[in-house]
Amino acid sequence: MLGYTTLYGDSACAINPLGDLYKTQVRQLSHAMGIPDVIIQKAPTADLWQGQTDEGETGLHLRRGG
């Protein structure tokens, strides 16, 4: 359970329906909803500069899948 948030960005909401789900659960829900794999498997990023990823910023490379 590792992650970070952008103040007044992705953390600035009154309702967070996915907030209590693990990433694996969000991916399962995405598959069930028919979201394309290219989106589901995209590396998380704040997109502050080209090539930036959350994994690169934290120094951890996490397994994505199921």
Side-chain angles (χ1 to χ4, degrees), residues 18-62:
L18 300 178
D20 291 327
L21 298 180
Y22 291 107
K23 289 181 181 182
T24 53
Q25 293 172 308
V26 173
R27 289 186 189 104
Q28 290 171 346
L29 179 60
S30 299
H31 281 292
M33 293 175 62
I35 306 295
D37 281 336
V38 68
I39 294 173
I40 295 170
Q41 295 301 323
K42 182 182 180 293
T45 177
D47 286 325
L48 296 176
W49 57 84
Q50 189 168 348
Q52 179 195 23
T53 65
D54 292 0
E55 293 172 346
E57 290 298 297
T58 61
L60 298 173
H61 298 281
L62 309 174

